[in-house]
Coordinates of all heavy atoms in Angstrom, one line a residue:
V283 N -18.1 0.0 -1.8 CA -19.2 1.0 -1.7 C -19.3 1.5 -0.3 O -19.5 2.7 -0.1 CB -20.6 0.3 -2.1 CG1 -21.7 1.3 -1.8 CG2 -20.6 -0.1 -3.5
G284 N -19.0 0.7 0.7 CA -19.0 1.1 2.1 C -18.0 2.2 2.3 O -18.2 3.2 3.0
S285 N -16.8 2.1 1.6 CA -15.8 3.2 1.7 C -16.3 4.5 1.1 O -16.2 5.6 1.6 CB -14.5 2.7 1.1 OG -13.7 3.8 0.9
A286 N -16.9 4.3 -0.1 CA -17.4 5.5 -0.9 C -18.6 6.2 -0.2 O -18.6 7.4 0.0 CB -17.8 5.0 -2.3
V287 N -19.5 5.4 0.2 CA -20.7 6.0 0.8 C -20.4 6.5 2.3 O -20.1 5.6 3.1 CB -21.9 5.0 0.9 CG1 -23.0 5.6 1.7 CG2 -22.4 4.7 -0.6
G288 N -20.4 7.7 2.5 CA -20.1 8.2 3.8 C -20.8 9.5 4.1 O -21.8 9.9 3.4
L289 N -20.3 10.3 5.1 CA -21.0 11.5 5.4 C -21.0 12.5 4.2 O -21.9 13.3 4.1 CB -20.3 12.2 6.6 CG -20.3 11.3 7.9 CD1 -19.4 11.9 9.0 CD2 -21.8 11.3 8.4
G290 N -20.0 12.3 3.3 CA -19.9 13.1 2.1 C -21.2 13.0 1.3 O -21.7 14.0 0.7
N291 N -21.8 11.8 1.2 CA -23.0 11.6 0.4 C -24.2 12.3 1.1 O -25.2 12.7 0.4 CB -23.4 10.1 0.3 CG -22.3 9.4 -0.4 OD1 -21.1 9.4 0.1 ND2 -22.6 8.7 -1.5
I292 N -24.2 12.3 2.4 CA -25.4 12.7 3.1 C -25.5 14.3 3.3 O -26.5 14.9 3.0 CB -25.5 12.1 4.5 CG1 -25.4 10.6 4.3 CG2 -26.7 12.5 5.3 CD1 -25.3 9.8 5.6
W293 N -24.4 14.9 3.7 CA -24.5 16.3 3.9 C -23.8 17.2 2.8 O -24.0 18.4 2.7 CB -24.2 16.8 5.3 CG -22.9 16.5 5.8 CD1 -22.6 15.5 6.8 CD2 -21.6 17.1 5.6 NE1 -21.3 15.5 7.1 CE2 -20.6 16.4 6.3 CE3 -21.2 18.1 4.7 CZ2 -19.3 16.8 6.3 CZ3 -19.8 18.5 4.7 CH2 -18.9 17.8 5.5
R294 N -23.0 16.6 2.0 CA -22.2 17.4 1.1 C -23.0 17.4 -0.3 O -23.2 18.5 -0.8 CB -20.8 16.8 0.9 CG -19.8 17.9 0.6 CD -18.4 17.4 0.9 NE -17.4 18.4 0.5 CZ -16.7 18.3 -0.6 NH1 -16.8 17.3 -1.4 NH2 -15.8 19.3 -0.8
A360 N -2.8 11.3 4.6 CA -4.1 12.0 4.4 C -5.2 11.2 5.1 O -6.1 11.8 5.7 CB -4.4 12.1 2.9
I364 N -7.6 12.6 8.0 CA -9.1 12.7 7.8 C -9.8 12.0 8.9 O -10.8 12.5 9.5 CB -9.5 12.1 6.4 CG1 -9.0 13.0 5.3 CG2 -11.0 11.9 6.3 CD1 -9.2 12.5 3.9
Y367 N -10.8 14.0 12.1 CA -12.0 14.8 12.3 C -13.3 14.0 11.9 O -14.3 14.3 12.4 CB -11.9 16.1 11.5 CG -11.9 16.1 10.0 CD1 -13.2 16.0 9.3 CD2 -10.8 16.0 9.3 CE1 -13.2 16.0 8.0 CE2 -10.8 15.9 7.9 CZ -12.0 15.9 7.2 OH -12.1 15.9 5.9
Y368 N -13.1 13.1 11.0 CA -14.3 12.3 10.6 C -14.8 11.5 11.8 O -16.0 11.3 12.0 CB -13.8 11.3 9.5 CG -14.8 10.8 8.5 CD1 -15.1 11.6 7.4 CD2 -15.5 9.6 8.7 CE1 -16.1 11.2 6.5 CE2 -16.4 9.2 7.7 CZ -16.7 10.0 6.6 OH -17.6 9.5 5.7
Q486 N -16.1 16.9 -5.5 CA -17.1 16.0 -4.9 C -16.9 14.6 -5.3 O -17.0 13.6 -4.5 CB -18.5 16.5 -5.1 CG -19.6 15.6 -4.6 CD -19.7 15.5 -3.1 OE1 -19.1 16.3 -2.4 NE2 -20.4 14.5 -2.6
A487 N -16.6 14.4 -6.6 CA -16.4 13.0 -7.2 C -15.2 12.4 -6.5 O -15.3 11.2 -6.1 CB -16.3 13.1 -8.7
F488 N -14.1 13.1 -6.3 CA -13.0 12.6 -5.7 C -13.2 12.2 -4.2 O -12.9 11.1 -3.8 CB -11.9 13.7 -5.6 CG -10.9 13.6 -6.8 CD1 -11.3 14.1 -8.0 CD2 -9.7 13.1 -6.6 CE1 -10.5 14.0 -9.1 CE2 -8.8 13.0 -7.7 CZ -9.2 13.4 -8.9
F489 N -13.8 13.1 -3.5 CA -14.1 13.0 -2.1 C -15.0 11.8 -1.9 O -14.8 10.9 -1.1 CB -14.8 14.2 -1.6 CG -15.0 14.3 -0.1 CD1 -14.1 15.0 0.6 CD2 -16.1 13.8 0.5 CE1 -14.3 15.2 2.0 CE2 -16.3 13.9 1.9 CZ -15.4 14.6 2.6
S490 N -16.1 11.7 -2.7 CA -17.1 10.7 -2.5 C -16.6 9.3 -2.9 O -16.9 8.3 -2.2 CB -18.4 11.0 -3.3 OG -19.4 10.3 -2.8
L491 N -15.8 9.2 -4.0 CA -15.3 7.9 -4.4 C -14.1 7.5 -3.6 O -13.5 6.4 -3.9 CB -15.1 7.9 -5.9 CG -16.4 8.1 -6.7 CD1 -16.0 8.2 -8.2 CD2 -17.3 6.9 -6.6
S492 N -13.7 8.3 -2.7 CA -12.4 8.0 -1.9 C -11.2 7.8 -2.7 O -10.4 6.9 -2.5 CB -12.6 6.7 -1.0 OG -13.8 6.7 -0.2
I493 N -11.0 8.7 -3.7 CA -9.9 8.6 -4.6 C -8.7 9.4 -4.0 O -8.9 10.4 -3.4 CB -10.2 9.1 -6.0 CG1 -11.3 8.2 -6.6 CG2 -9.0 9.3 -6.9 CD1 -11.9 8.8 -7.9
L495 N -6.4 8.5 -1.8 CA -6.0 8.3 -0.4 C -5.3 7.0 -0.2 O -5.0 6.6 1.0 CB -7.2 8.4 0.5 CG -7.9 9.7 0.5 CD1 -9.3 9.6 1.2 CD2 -7.1 10.8 1.3
I497 N -6.8 4.3 -0.3 CA -7.8 3.3 0.1 C -8.1 2.3 -1.0 O -8.1 1.1 -0.8 CB -9.2 4.0 0.4 CG1 -9.1 4.9 1.6 CG2 -10.3 3.0 0.6 CD1 -10.4 5.7 1.9
D522 N -22.8 4.5 -5.4 CA -22.4 5.7 -4.6 C -23.3 6.9 -5.0 O -23.8 7.7 -4.1 CB -20.9 6.0 -4.7 CG -20.5 7.2 -3.9 OD1 -20.6 7.2 -2.7 OD2 -20.1 8.2 -4.5
A579 N -23.1 4.6 7.5 CA -22.3 5.1 6.4 C -21.0 5.6 6.9 O -19.9 5.3 6.2 CB -23.1 6.3 5.8
A580 N -20.9 6.2 8.0 CA -19.6 6.7 8.5 C -18.7 5.6 8.9 O -17.5 5.6 8.6 CB -19.8 7.7 9.7
T582 N -18.5 2.4 7.9 CA -17.8 1.6 6.8 C -16.7 2.5 6.1 O -15.8 2.0 5.5 CB -18.8 1.1 5.7 OG1 -19.7 2.2 5.4 CG2 -19.6 0.0 6.3
S583 N -16.9 3.8 6.2 CA -15.8 4.7 5.6 C -14.6 4.8 6.6 O -13.5 4.7 6.1 CB -16.4 6.1 5.4 OG -17.4 6.1 4.4
T584 N -14.9 4.9 7.9 CA -13.7 4.9 8.8 C -12.9 3.6 8.7 O -11.7 3.7 8.8 CB -14.1 5.2 10.3 OG1 -15.1 4.2 10.7 CG2 -14.7 6.6 10.4
S586 N -12.4 1.8 6.1 CA -11.5 1.8 4.9 C -10.4 2.8 5.1 O -9.3 2.6 4.7 CB -12.4 2.1 3.7 OG -12.8 3.5 3.6
L587 N -10.7 4.0 5.7 CA -9.6 5.0 6.0 C -8.5 4.4 6.9 O -7.3 4.6 6.7 CB -10.2 6.2 6.6 CG -11.0 7.2 5.7 CD1 -12.0 8.0 6.4 CD2 -10.1 8.0 4.8
D643 N -8.8 19.1 8.0 CA -9.7 19.0 6.9 C -9.1 19.6 5.7 O -9.0 19.0 4.6 CB -11.1 19.6 7.2 CG -12.0 19.6 6.1 OD1 -11.9 18.7 5.2 OD2 -13.0 20.4 6.0
S646 N -5.7 17.8 4.4 CA -5.9 16.5 3.8 C -6.8 16.6 2.6 O -6.3 16.1 1.5 CB -6.5 15.5 4.8 OG -7.7 16.1 5.4
A647 N -8.0 17.2 2.7 CA -8.9 17.1 1.5 C -8.5 18.1 0.4 O -8.7 17.8 -0.8 CB -10.3 17.4 2.0
L651 N -5.0 15.2 -0.9 CA -5.9 14.4 -1.7 C -5.6 14.7 -3.2 O -5.3 13.8 -4.0 CB -7.3 14.6 -1.3 CG -8.3 13.5 -1.8 CD1 -9.4 13.4 -0.7 CD2 -9.0 13.9 -3.0
Ligands
PFF984 N1 -16.0 8.6 0.7 C1 -16.4 8.8 2.0 C2 -17.3 10.0 2.2 O1 -17.8 10.5 1.2 O2 -17.7 10.4 3.3 C3 -15.2 8.8 3.0 C4 -14.2 9.9 2.7 C5 -13.3 9.8 1.8 C6 -14.3 11.0 3.4 C7 -12.4 10.8 1.5 C8 -13.4 12.1 3.2 C9 -12.5 12.0 2.2 F1 -11.6 13.0 2.0

Side-chain angles (χ1 to χ4, degrees):
V283 174
S285 167
V287 170
L289 297 170
N291 300 56
I292 303 171
W293 55 256
R294 210 159 178 257
I364 288 175
Y367 70 86
Y368 208 83
Q486 173 67 15
F488 267 77
F489 190 96
S490 196
L491 294 172
S492 308
I493 293 168
L495 297 167
I497 292 179
D522 181 61
T582 47
S583 294
T584 54
S586 73
L587 286 157
D643 179 21
S646 52
L651 200 145

